[in-house]
Amino acid sequence: MAARHEEIAEELRQAIDRGEYPVGGTLPTETELSARYGVSRGTVRQAVAALTAEGRIGSRQGARRVVLGNRRSQSFAELRSFAQWAHAMGRTATGRVLDQHRRPATLEDAEKLQIKPGDEVLQVLRVRGLDGEPVLLERNVYAAWMADSVERLPADCISVVQALYEDIGMIFAYGEHVIDAVAAGAEDARLLEVRRGSPLLRIRRVTTTPAGRPIEWSDDRYVSGTVSFTVANSIGSNPLARQAGQA
Amino acid sequence: MAARHEEIAEELRQAIDRGEYPVGGTLPTETELSARYGVSRGTVRQAVAALTAEGRIGSRQGARRVVLGNRRSQSFAELRSFAQWAHAMGRTATGRVLDQHRRPATLEDAEKLQIKPGDEVLQVLRVRGLDGEPVLLERNVYAAWMADSVERLPADCISVVQALYEDIGMIFAYGEHVIDAVAAGAEDARLLEVRRGSPLLRIRRVTTTPAGRPIEWSDDRYVSGTVSFTVANSIGSNPLARQAGQA
DNA sequence: GTCATCGACTTGTTCGGACAAGTGATTCCC
DNA sequence: GGGAATCACTTGTCCGAACAAGTCGATGAC
C-alpha cells in the first residue's frame, strides 16, 4: 500500500525508538541498507531523507549518518487537528462553538483567503479543552464555499477536520503558521478562565486544499503552560523562520 | 560551485518572486523544466522538492504543481543567528553579556548536552536589542569544550555564531526548538524593560555540530510584538509539532 | 442537462549505473 | 611524537529509463 521508501523510513524510525541505533551512534551505510531491504540505493536515500527532514538523523557527505534523537513528531493530521492530536497523546479533547455568523469579508479576510472584499465568509468562535480544562480559543474564518458544511456541524463537534473529511471529503493539505505571544484580552481571559494579561501563545494560520485554494484562516490562542510546539531544523533545511513583528 | 539542482531551485524561487509564476497558478511540467535547463527529470525533482519543503509550492500526483506563496524564508544561519537575521532584515542588532560564569552541570544540562552531571559548563546571560530596543533575553549553557572560545569573545560581540565560525571554524548544524509563551519574571522584566507578567515568546533550543555533538542549549525570551516565527507545513512534510506542556 | 467513461497528460516510485566530494583511519616521513 | 600524505569508504549528484497512480478535460450515453 504505502510506498516502499515510506515503509523503510518507518522501520528505521522504529529501530531508532527501540534503541537499535542509539542516539549519538551511526546508521548503517546506504549500500548495506539497500542490501538488507532489497531495494536500490535511491530508495534508501528517499527513506533517510525523510528522517533527516524530521531532524532525527544528521547527514554529512563522506561520513556515516548520525542519530540525533528519537523524539516522535506528530503527523500533519495531528498538527492540524486538535482532537486527533489530543487522542494521539492519550488525552480527551472537548470543543464548543460559542458564536457563529456570516458576514462580509474584510480586507484582511480577502487577502488571506484570496477572495474579494465583501464576499461572504463564516466566522466561528470555539473554545477547546483538554481533560476538562479550557486551553485553546479558536477564531476561524471560512471561505463561503465551505460555510454550508461547517454550519451543519454540531456545536460540540470534537474534530472539525475529521468531520469535514467524512462529510465532503475535504482535505486540509497545506498550512502556514505565524507564531507569537500576546497578553490575554478581556474576552480571552473570560473564555479561557485565566487572568487578564496572562501570556497566551498565538498561532495564526492559513490552510489550503491540495490544489492550493485557501479554506480558512484562524487565530488560535493557547493558555501558557498547556501546550508547546517543537521544530527541528538543520543547515540544509529550515522550515522555521523568524520575522520582525508588527503587532 | 553549487549543485545544479540548487541553482535551479533558486532560479524558480526568483521566477516566483518576479511574478513569472503567479500565486495560485501552476509551474511548468517536470519534462518541460528538464528540457529548459538541460538536466534530467530527477534533478528537476530535487529542485522542486526543495520548494515544496519550503511551502512555496504544492504538489499532487497527476496534477501540475501549484504556486502557494512567494514568501521568502530565512536561511538556517539567519534563523540561528540573531545578528545575521537582523542584518538581512535591514535592522541593527546589538548584544551585551550581563553575566558569564562556569559551574558544574545540573541534571538538565547533562541530559541536553549529553555530558555527565558535574562536568563543567559555561553559563552566559545576554540581552539582545533591535534598533536600540531590548527585545531578547538569552540564557545559554555551553559545553566545556566550547567554553574557552566563548569566553574569548568580547562582551558586546554582535554575532556569536559568526565569531565562533571565524575563530575556530565551529559550525552550528542542527537545532531543535521548543516554543511556548511565558510571563516575564522579575529579572526578565527588569532586563527587557517591560512590566512584570508581560507575555514573552520563549524558544528553548539545543544546537549540535554536523557530527551530532551538542554544543549548547539556550532559553531565549522575546518581547511580545517584536518578533514572530513562521512555519509552513504540508500533508507530506510537517516540521512543526505540538506537545502537551508541563511547565 | 447530467453523469459515467475514456484517454492524454503529469507526478510518484523504483531501478541501475557512474562519477565527484568529503571523512577518517592508517601509514609514512621527518 | 607530530604532521603530512595516502587510501578505502561513504554520501552527494546526476543520468536515463520504465511503469504506476492520479488528474482533468473531452466524449458519449442516458
Side-chain angles (χ1 to χ4, degrees), chain B residues 159-237:
Chain B
S159 179
V160 175
V161 173
Q162 192 168 350
L164 288 177
Y165 173 69
E166 288 168 0
D167 285 3
I168 57 174
M170 170 59 57
I171 293 178
F172 294 74
Y174 303 106
E176 161 139 348
H177 311 251
V178 179
I179 306 173
D180 59 3
V182 295
E187 189 182 46
D188 298 339
R190 191 179 71 247
L191 299 174
L192 289 173
E193 298 173 18
V194 296
R195 278 200 307 279
R196 212 163 66 85
S198 293
L200 302 177
L201 184 67
R202 176 170 68 169
I203 314 260
R204 284 171 293 182
R205 180 186 61 224
V206 178
T207 315
T208 67
T209 66
R213 186 176 189 192
I215 300 172
E216 47 118 34
W217 73 270
S218 169
D219 179 316
D220 294 356
R221 300 182 183 201
Y222 291 88
V223 174
S224 156
T226 59
V227 173
S228 65
F229 288 81
T230 65
V231 169
N233 67 352
S234 74
I235 205 166
S237 77

Side-chain angles (χ1 to χ4, degrees), chain A residues 158-231:
Chain A
I158 301 295
S159 178
V160 175
V161 173
Q162 192 169 350
L164 288 177
Y165 173 69
E166 288 168 0
D167 285 2
I168 57 173
M170 171 59 59
I171 293 178
F172 294 75
Y174 303 106
E176 161 140 347
H177 311 249
V178 178
I179 307 173
D180 58 5
V182 295
E187 189 183 46
D188 298 338
R190 193 179 69 246
L191 299 174
L192 289 173
E193 299 172 17
V194 295
R195 279 200 306 281
R196 213 162 66 85
S198 293
L200 301 177
L201 183 66
R202 177 171 67 168
I203 314 259
R204 284 170 293 183
R205 180 185 61 225
V206 177
T207 316
T208 67
T209 66
R213 187 177 187 189
I215 300 172
E216 45 117 37
W217 72 271
S218 168
D219 179 316
D220 294 356
R221 300 181 183 199
Y222 291 87
V223 174
S224 158
T226 59
V227 173
S228 65
F229 289 81
T230 65
V231 170

Side-chain angles (χ1 to χ4, degrees), chain A:
Chain A
M1 35 177 164
R4 191 83 183 94
H5 66 84
E6 285 179 16
E7 292 177 6
I8 295 173
E10 184 55 31
E11 288 189 44
L12 290 175
R13 271 186 280 256
Q14 290 177 11
I16 291 174
D17 289 344
R18 278 197 306 270
E20 197 166 319
Y21 306 123
V23 173
T26 63
L27 237 51
T29 68
E30 296 177 357
T31 312
E32 188 179 332
L33 287 175
S34 29
R36 183 180 308 178
Y37 291 111
V39 298
S40 76
R41 195 181 145 217
T43 303
V44 168
R45 284 182 64 78
Q46 283 187 75
V48 295
L51 301 210
T52 305
E54 292 164 17
R56 299 169 78 104
I57 61 178
S59 204
R60 304 138 66 205
Q61 185 171 103
R64 297 264 278 264
R65 268 171 255 264
V66 179
V67 179
L68 295 174
N70 55 6
R71 307 162 293 279
R72 239 189 148 48
S73 61
Q74 288 86 25
S75 71
F76 179 81
E78 287 162 3
L79 175 62
R80 180 57 195 77
S81 164
F82 184 76
Q84 286 176 41
W85 164 72
H87 183 261
M89 302 284 295
R91 320 265 307 245
T92 318
T94 57
R96 195 159 40 93
V97 172
L98 298 181
D99 178 53
Q100 179 170 301
H101 66 275
R102 297 186 183 225
R103 59 171 176 76
T106 64
L107 286 174
E108 187 183 16
D109 297 330
E111 186 195 339
K112 289 187 173 167
L113 298 179
Q114 291 177 26
I115 57 178
K116 285 190 297 294
D119 284 1
E120 196 175 61
V121 295
L122 176 66
Q123 174 157 351
V124 180
L125 177 66
R126 279 192 202 88
V127 175
R128 303 295 207 110
L130 215 51
D131 296 335
E133 296 282 315
V135 299
L136 166 59
L137 191 60
E138 259 188 9
R139 293 184 178 88
N140 290 74
V141 177
Y142 295 91
W145 56 279
M146 285 291 301
D148 287 342
S149 304
V150 175
E151 282 181 332
R152 270 198 295 272
L153 299 176
D156 62 346
C157 177
I158 301 295
S159 178
V160 175
V161 173
Q162 192 169 350
L164 288 177
Y165 173 69
E166 288 168 0
D167 285 2
I168 57 173
M170 171 59 59
I171 293 178
F172 294 75
Y174 303 106
E176 161 140 347
H177 311 249
V178 178
I179 307 173
D180 58 5
V182 295
E187 189 183 46
D188 298 338
R190 193 179 69 246
L191 299 174
L192 289 173
E193 299 172 17
V194 295
R195 279 200 306 281
R196 213 162 66 85
S198 293
L200 301 177
L201 183 66
R202 177 171 67 168
I203 314 259
R204 284 170 293 183
R205 180 185 61 225
V206 177
T207 316
T208 67
T209 66
R213 187 177 187 189
I215 300 172
E216 45 117 37
W217 72 271
S218 168
D219 179 316
D220 294 356
R221 300 181 183 199
Y222 291 87
V223 174
S224 158
T226 59
V227 173
S228 65
F229 289 81
T230 65
V231 170
N233 67 350
S234 75
I235 206 165
S237 77
N238 54 302
L240 176 65
R242 179 163 35 191
Q243 292 192 336
Q246 87 295 10

Side-chain angles (χ1 to χ4, degrees), chain B residues 44-61:
Chain B
V44 167
R45 284 180 64 79
Q46 274 184 283
V48 295
L51 301 210
T52 305
E54 291 164 17
R56 300 168 80 104
I57 62 178
S59 205
R60 306 138 62 205
Q61 186 171 102

